[in-house]
Amino acid sequence: MRWVGRPPRWWRGLLIAHLTKTNFLYNLYVMELASNVARQGQLDAVFAALADPTRRAILSRLADGEASVAEIATPFSISQPAISRHLKVLENAGLIERDIDEQRRPARLTAETMASAVDWLAEFRAFWGARFDRLDDVLMELKKTESKE
Amino acid sequence: MSELPEYVLDRTFDASRDLVWRAWTDPDILHQWYGPGVETIIHQYDLKPGGAWLNEMKMRGMSDYSRMDFQEVAEAEKLVWHHASTDADWNVVANPMMPDWPRVLLTTVTFSDAGGKTDVRLSQVPIDASEKEIAVFAEMMSNMDGGWGKGYAIIDELLSQLQS
């Protein structure tokens, strides 16, 4: 385990979601449709936040574990204030969270938001695919029925 | 038209073209596969140009409504419709999850023989969309296998760390 600090308590849910994604992606989508009205527009912010390569690199860095601004800034050729601005965008989109009461204010990923954004996209891609899979089954059933008649 | 972003899905089905066509145009069969994993209710299915297919997908007491307005119906060859999310009264509304998602997608399904099997191509392009909606759709399409793969890469990385 590379995780030393705070145990990532969202692992289990994320792992299950990942493993069974194709099965309940669509169900998830419909549930989200109804339950996420309060978060309208949040996905827009998520996708806008992810459109920037530096911010994606920051997320990759945070995938290795929480880090302070200084730690995040090290491999980049940009200033800490610039990193802070990127972190703000990521934080506003709900992709990361930061500790308030610590001096170094480490940032870490908020996997739920990431997962819901990825799922939304996967849903669009998987949606017709899942339908076509089901259509395949239905056609097989129809062929069986017809050959009996 | 060619500059518009397009979503394309190709699939070969091991069934005759007539049977595949029936699966798309007989509501009794269509509802069995159109909403995988959810209850699909086809409130109206009027297969002719100008006719509409009004679709409800139910999940735990919640519903997702959409309407498909047929533009072109060429038997066993081609179906063209305008695809939109709606409210419960079948009025076109913005996608609740993505306000800037194109409201209407021009959807074309073509059916062709493939040696006893049937090739189906589904294509969706935004229609009457604002520049912003087109941009959002284009970004989604281009990012599916490119930049957005990053999203998956990050999740995969997280998962591999969990498992290691």
Side-chain angles (χ1 to χ4, degrees), chain A residues 26 34 63 122 131 143 146, chain B residues 14 22 34 57 62 152 161:
Chain A
Y26 180 70
R131 279 178 177 155
K143 274 167 70 173
E146 298 217 327
Chain B
D14 188 8
R22 235 178 72 205
Y34 187 75
M57 289 188 283
M62 295 180 258
Y152 289 107
Q161 285 171 15

Side-chain angles (χ1 to χ4, degrees), chain A residues 1-3 10-12 14-15 18-19 21 23 26-37 39-44 46-48 50-51 56 59-60 62-65 109 111 114-118 120-136 138-143 146, chain B residues 7 9-16 19-20 22-24 29 32-38 53 55 57-60 62-64 81 83 85 95-101 105 107 109 120-122 124 132 136-137 139-141 143-145 147-152 154-159 161-164:
Chain A
M1 280 294 280
R2 289 165 68 189
W3 290 83
W10 33 262
W11 275 135
R12 174 170 282 273
L14 184 63
L15 180 64
H18 188 78
L19 296 178
K21 182 171 279 176
N23 294 331
Y26 180 70
N27 298 354
L28 190 74
Y29 170 62
V30 174
M31 284 190 291
E32 293 261 26
L33 272 183
S35 65
N36 275 13
V37 176
R39 297 198 340 210
Q40 260 191 29
Q42 183 182 328
L43 278 182
D44 282 357
V46 170
F47 287 117
L50 287 168
R56 289 202 298 265
L59 290 174
S60 288
L62 293 177
D64 289 338
L109 288 181
M114 176 74 77
S116 79
V118 170
W120 196 89
L121 186 73
E123 177 276 327
F124 185 80
R125 179 164 57 178
F127 198 10
W128 281 104
R131 279 178 177 155
F132 278 21
D133 290 346
R134 179 73 193 120
L135 172 57
D136 221 8
V138 168
L139 286 168
M140 290 308 109
E141 290 158 21
L142 283 173
K143 274 167 70 173
E146 298 217 327
Chain B
Y7 170 78
L9 182 61
D10 284 307
R11 184 75 72 93
T12 303
F13 293 98
D14 188 8
S16 70
L19 192 61
V20 176
R22 235 178 72 205
W24 281 81
I29 304 173
Q32 294 175 39
W33 62 267
Y34 187 75
V38 299
W53 157 18
N55 199 76
M57 289 188 283
K58 269 191 171 167
M59 167 79 193
R60 295 185 187 179
M62 295 180 258
S63 285
D64 170 65
W81 69 73
H83 194 126
S85 291
N95 186 305
M97 284 288 276
M98 289 283 286
D100 288 319
W101 188 252
L105 293 174
T107 306
V109 188
V120 173
R121 164 166 287 204
L122 176 107
Q124 291 192 305
K132 186 158 189 197
V136 166
F137 191 79
E139 196 187 339
M140 291 293 207
M141 295 304 115
N143 280 337
M144 273 191 185
D145 302 309
W148 244 103
K150 279 279 183 188
Y152 289 107
I154 290 168
I155 285 198
D156 285 340
E157 195 178 333
L158 294 171
L159 289 166
Q161 285 171 15
L162 171 67
Q163 286 157 346
S164 62

Side-chain angles (χ1 to χ4, degrees), chain B:
Chain B
M1 287 292 281
S2 60
E3 316 104 57
L4 283 175
E6 183 180 16
Y7 170 78
V8 178
L9 182 61
D10 284 307
R11 184 75 72 93
T12 303
F13 293 98
D14 188 8
S16 70
R17 199 148 54 96
D18 284 342
L19 192 61
V20 176
W21 173 259
R22 235 178 72 205
W24 281 81
T25 56
D26 178 344
D28 289 339
I29 304 173
L30 179 59
H31 86 92
Q32 294 175 39
W33 62 267
Y34 187 75
V38 299
E39 185 190 351
T40 302
I41 302 165
I42 297 176
H43 289 267
Q44 183 184 316
Y45 193 91
D46 189 9
L47 185 67
K48 63 178 186 218
W53 157 18
L54 304 178
N55 199 76
E56 176 182 0
M57 289 188 283
K58 269 191 171 167
M59 167 79 193
R60 295 185 187 179
M62 295 180 258
S63 285
D64 170 65
Y65 299 95
S66 58
R67 66 177 298 146
M68 283 53 92
D69 289 290
F70 292 113
Q71 308 296 309
E72 199 181 325
V73 178
E75 186 162 354
E77 284 178 9
K78 193 179 189 186
L79 274 176
V80 182
W81 69 73
H82 288 175
H83 194 126
S85 291
T86 72
D87 59 21
D89 297 319
W90 312 110
N91 300 306
V92 174
V93 294
N95 186 305
M97 284 288 276
M98 289 283 286
D100 288 319
W101 188 252
R103 290 192 176 208
V104 185
L105 293 174
L106 176 66
T107 306
T108 305
V109 188
T110 49
F111 306 83
S112 49
D113 289 325
K117 300 183 179 183
T118 304
D119 285 337
V120 173
R121 164 166 287 204
L122 176 107
S123 134
Q124 291 192 305
V125 292
I127 188 166
D128 298 332
S130 69
E131 270 179 42
K132 186 158 189 197
E133 289 171 347
I134 291 171
V136 166
F137 191 79
E139 196 187 339
M140 291 293 207
M141 295 304 115
S142 67
N143 280 337
M144 273 191 185
D145 302 309
W148 244 103
K150 279 279 183 188
Y152 289 107
I154 290 168
I155 285 198
D156 285 340
E157 195 178 333
L158 294 171
L159 289 166
S160 69
Q161 285 171 15
L162 171 67
Q163 286 157 346
S164 62

